[in-house]
Amino acid sequence: MDPLKILFVSPEVVPFAKTGGLADVAGSLPKALKGLGCDVRLTMPLYQAVRQGKFLLRKVLENLPIPLGGSAIASDIYEGELAEGLPVYFIERDEFYDRLNLYGSAKGDYFDNDRRFSFFARGTLNAVQALGFQPDIIHCHDWQTGLIPACLHFGRNPDSFFRRTAGLFTIHNMAYQGSFPRTILELAGLPETCFSPEGLEFWGRANLLKAGIVYSQIINTVSRKYSQEIQTEEFGYGLEGILAYRKADLFGILNGVDYDLWNPETDFYLAAHYSSPDLSGKKICKKDLLNRLGLPEDRFLFPVLGIISRLADQKGFDLLAGIMDPLLSQEVSLVVLGTGEEKYHRLLAELAEKYPKKLAVRLTFDNALAHQIEAGSDLFLMPSRYEPCGLNQIYSLKYGTIPVVRATGGLDDTIIPFDPQTGRGTGFKFYPYQPEALWSALEEALEVYRDQTRWVRLMKNAMAMDFSWEASAREYIKLYLLAKERLKGF
Ligand code: ADP
């Protein structure tokens, strides 16, 4: 049997460009799919970060015309490799992608994201057609790719190159929907008829996440719990109705982890390696982290709490703000790495000034430091208001860094509350979105920490958890086959 041919379209992919967990997924799931025999190829924009990353790229198409709003703009297409036998096609157009960030700055989104991502959608389709890659499935991720299922739908006819190509659309976060004026239809070459409540229209604008949902054969999100939550008003951000309507085609598959990158036994960025049978290296990592961040060495004797996060409302910083004073009056240290909204930059900078000996804040994007925090902390905080999957709590488990999480989305699906009676469990969870609830989960965690025998047991439980991709990749293959099946009746 021919291998299943999958075109994997993501606006960010590790190691080429990253703002969050989507990039981790796009950099690792294709490897697992290839391991299961699929022919997988990827496309992404040729951002400035890719150009500067010194990756080995070769030009495979020159001056490929890409339609945009009634005219055509030329693009060179470059090919790189995610791993051996896993090509990534980069869609080039410097006026769109040669910028400092991927989607915008702390001040807001880039003004021309409608043009940038229309061009990416049409560029993707034209590039793979020109290269002769006829996929069984186009697997799209998030609003930046939502025009692709719409283009496939409206372009499908008995002669079209993509006539047998079905679409799977993965939602990594409902809150980011890509809302644009209706002029985007002309840019992307879509008919006016799709601008209706049954199509991609949403409150008088074109909504690209909705386009992905409406025009894909199958939809999924990145944990089972979140796939249920988004069908409710609280988490659906206005699209709960359409998701509930499509619930027979809506699935939840938990993200996996690339343990080649996130493993304390081999992690390239650590001062020392360690494993469940020999935890001594974790102490070295803890000292190294305190030194690096300029926290006093005597802090080593007390728990270090870590946070690595986009600084966005979703991530629970208002809860954290509510407990900062009682928390930092205890014998603990807190390290925070993050970038995002300005109000949180300000809040954290002020707190760091107030607690210079206990709180270290780094308002940058720093992959090496992210690994060092995972290894050097004792606890990891993720009090998210909602969390589609969340990767950092899963990385934390592997590093024996005990997660304290709110029971929502993937956090609820991945963390088992520690039961001091039985010694089972992997972390601490709280339910109501209230500072008091976070505080009592933290108090419980710090109480267990004081009994190092129990704490080591908890660490070992956490480190034994396995979230490698293979099981989830098999689930994805089932969805690909189902999407092909559904295409017949679409
Ligand atoms: P989200 O995708 O909502 O941002 P996830 O927990 O799924 O959250 O994934 C976040 C990913 O981004 C993790 O790999 C995390 O280590 C990384 N990350 C987030 N902020 C930073 C930062 N400031 N520096 C380095 N890595 C970061």
Side-chain angles (χ1 to χ4, degrees):
M1 207 174 84
D2 282 346
L4 204 56
K5 286 193 271 187
I6 297 151
L7 180 65
F8 204 95
V9 189
S10 173
E12 51 185 272
V13 181
V14 163
F16 302 105
K18 164 168 175 175
T19 68
L22 167 56
D24 292 359
V25 171
S28 50
L29 173 56
K31 293 183 197 166
L33 291 167
K34 177 150 176 61
L36 295 174
C38 300
D39 177 357
V40 191
R41 312 195 188 182
L42 297 87
T43 65
M44 67 177 287
L46 186 69
Y47 299 112
Q48 190 178 89
V50 181
R51 284 199 186 277
Q52 290 175 348
K54 304 206 169 66
F55 299 103
L56 209 62
L57 306 184
R58 68 185 179 98
K59 197 187 283 184
V60 288
L61 292 172
E62 197 163 85
N63 282 328
L64 180 72
I66 312 290
L68 189 73
S71 52
I73 297 184
S75 171
D76 293 341
I77 308 298
Y78 288 80
E79 181 180 332
E81 248 186 4
L82 180 61
E84 209 187 316
L86 270 175
V88 184
Y89 303 120
F90 294 92
I91 313 299
E92 173 265 4
R93 188 72 199 179
D94 285 350
E95 71 191 83
F96 295 142
Y97 309 127
D98 186 15
R99 301 187 191 175
L100 195 58
N101 298 308
L102 308 194
Y103 316 125
S105 68
K107 293 194 181 11
D109 291 345
Y110 289 136
F111 72 98
D112 56 351
N113 275 348
D114 50 353
R115 291 177 73 77
R116 299 174 77 229
F117 290 101
S118 296
F119 190 80
F120 178 51
R122 301 304 303 231
T124 285
L125 295 174
N126 281 24
V128 294
Q129 179 162 1
L131 291 163
F133 182 63
Q134 201 163 24
D136 295 295
I137 300 289
I138 301 190
H139 184 171
C140 291
H141 298 266
D142 277 356
W143 70 261
Q144 294 88 338
T145 66
L147 290 168
I148 292 176
C151 291
L152 286 182
H153 181 76
F154 290 102
R156 202 172 276 121
N157 64 51
D159 303 321
S160 69
F161 184 76
F162 296 108
R163 64 192 172 278
R164 278 195 287 272
T165 300
L168 170 67
F169 187 68
T170 302
I171 301 167
H172 295 261
N173 196 324
M174 282 305 296
Y176 301 89
Q177 300 191 351
S179 168
F180 298 101
R182 84 190 271 172
T183 44
I184 195 170
L185 300 183
E186 198 198 331
L187 285 175
L190 287 168
E192 282 290 322
T193 49
C194 66
F195 199 76
S196 72
E198 296 73 41
L200 54 69
E201 188 256 342
F202 187 67
W203 293 103
R205 291 169 68 84
N207 181 311
L208 302 201
L209 195 74
K210 190 176 177 207
I213 294 168
V214 170
Y215 296 113
S216 298
Q217 278 65 46
I218 297 288
I219 308 140
N220 85 300
T221 176
V222 287
S223 67
R224 222 172 286 277
K225 181 87 186 263
Y226 193 60
S227 73
Q228 294 156 356
E229 288 173 338
I230 61 177
Q231 296 176 52
T232 67
E233 203 181 328
E234 186 181 357
F235 297 100
Y237 285 84
L239 297 180
E240 57 276 7
I242 175 80
L243 287 164
Y245 176 73
R246 293 221 52 198
K247 74 168 180 249
D249 306 318
L250 172 62
F251 297 84
I253 300 182
L254 199 65
N255 285 337
V257 167
D258 187 345
Y259 288 124
D260 288 342
L261 299 179
W262 294 93
N263 180 350
E265 293 182 45
T266 51
D267 191 322
F268 170 78
Y269 297 105
L270 304 190
H273 291 141
Y274 59 94
S275 62
S276 181
D278 178 6
L279 290 166
S280 51
K282 189 163 172 73
K283 297 202 170 96
I284 300 172
C285 294
K286 184 170 174 179
K287 282 197 177 134
D288 176 66
L289 180 66
L290 293 170
N291 280 334
R292 248 172 225 288
L293 296 179
L295 288 170
E297 256 197 39
D298 64 358
R299 298 280 93 212
F300 176 74
L301 301 171
F302 306 104
V304 172
L305 286 63
I307 294 177
I308 304 161
S309 180
R310 283 184 301 110
L311 303 181
D313 291 336
Q314 164 199 350
K315 300 291 183 177
F317 284 95
D318 46 343
L319 289 194
L320 284 165
I323 61 145
M324 221 39 112
D325 288 327
L327 178 64
L328 293 175
S329 64
Q330 311 246 331
E331 286 294 7
V332 300
S333 323
L334 176 62
V335 300
V336 183
L337 171 64
T339 50
E341 290 176 35
E342 244 163 33
K343 62 180 178 187
Y344 295 122
H345 283 218
R346 239 177 290 127
L347 170 79
L348 288 165
E350 279 165 18
L351 284 164
E353 232 168 75
K354 190 165 166 194
Y355 296 103
K357 294 206 159 67
K358 287 188 172 172
L359 172 60
V361 171
R362 293 293 179 272
L363 299 171
T364 69
F365 195 93
D366 184 339
N367 184 46
L369 186 56
H371 285 252
Q372 288 147 4
I373 292 174
E374 284 293 359
S377 306
D378 298 296
L379 294 109
F380 194 88
L381 304 191
M382 270 178 100
S384 306
R385 183 183 288 277
Y386 70 90
E387 194 60 70
C389 176
L391 287 171
N392 275 118
Q393 85 282 11
I394 308 182
Y395 300 153
S396 297
L397 291 172
K398 189 72 178 172
Y399 286 74
T401 300
I402 301 306
V404 178
V405 304
R406 193 169 100 78
T408 181
L411 296 173
D412 200 21
D413 283 359
T414 53
I415 304 303
I416 308 162
F418 183 65
D419 178 349
Q421 302 303 321
T422 61
R424 296 215 183 90
T426 57
F428 298 89
K429 279 203 231 194
F430 64 99
Y431 290 81
Y433 190 76
Q434 289 160 0
E436 298 75 25
L438 166 60
W439 180 242
S440 60
L442 266 173
E443 277 190 315
E444 199 188 328
L446 294 173
E447 175 67 30
V448 177
Y449 184 86
R450 281 188 271 277
D451 177 349
Q452 277 295 303
T453 317
R454 276 201 297 172
W455 190 259
V456 169
R457 164 110 195 231
L458 171 54
M459 284 170 73
K460 287 181 189 261
N461 292 350
M463 293 173 87
M465 297 297 286
D466 181 3
F467 289 94
S468 40
W469 263 111
E470 189 178 326
S472 293
R474 285 189 195 282
E475 295 292 308
Y476 271 106
I477 291 177
K478 282 190 204 152
L479 289 197
Y480 296 149
L481 296 174
L482 190 61
K484 267 175 78 83
E485 197 54 41
R486 292 280 158 88
L487 181 62
K488 291 175 193 157
F490 208 72

